[in-house]
Amino acid sequence: EPGRSDKPAYGAAVDIGTTTVVVNLVNMENGRVVDSLGTYNKQSVYGSDVISRIIFCDENPGGLELLQKAVLDTVNGLVAELIQKNKLHME
């Protein structure tokens, strides 16, 4: 936020891979990675590779929404864990 200097600003850099998702907590003032967490991509239950997931979406009504929810759950879980672990507060 322009003009904001009273609190540190953080961002999240997200790498969504076929099998894993990694979230880096980044200090937006200096660009340094403060912490990082990763876990398995929850989309893998719908196929072990991208082509399998595309086929799943094609063959299953609502498949795309299931894949979206799975990856959002993965990312949001990692972000929440980083916030808690680093004692940050959302406003």
Side-chain angles (χ1 to χ4, degrees):
E1 296 176 29
R4 179 179 164 194
S5 62
D6 60 331
K7 297 176 186 166
Y10 294 94
V14 181
D15 178 7
I16 300 171
T18 306
T19 55
T20 59
V21 175
V22 176
V23 176
N24 294 305
L25 178 65
V26 180
N27 179 318
M28 298 305 288
E29 294 174 14
N30 60 24
R32 292 193 179 130
V33 175
V34 176
D35 203 351
S36 181
L37 288 175
T39 191
Y40 288 105
N41 186 339
K42 292 180 182 179
Q43 289 181 329
S44 63
V45 298
Y46 302 108
S48 60
D49 56 54
V50 174
I51 299 301
S52 298
R53 294 175 196 170
I54 291 170
I55 293 168
F56 173 82
C57 288
D58 187 50
E59 293 177 349
N60 295 278
L64 179 59
E65 290 79 10
L66 289 171
L67 282 171
Q68 289 171 331
K69 182 177 180 341
V71 75
L72 285 174
D73 286 349
T74 305
V75 171
N76 288 337
L78 289 170
V79 169
E81 193 173 340
L82 282 168
I83 288 169
Q84 181 179 12
K85 180 179 173 190
N86 289 277
K87 298 178 173 57
L88 302 177
H89 302 282
M90 299 286 292
E91 292 182 20

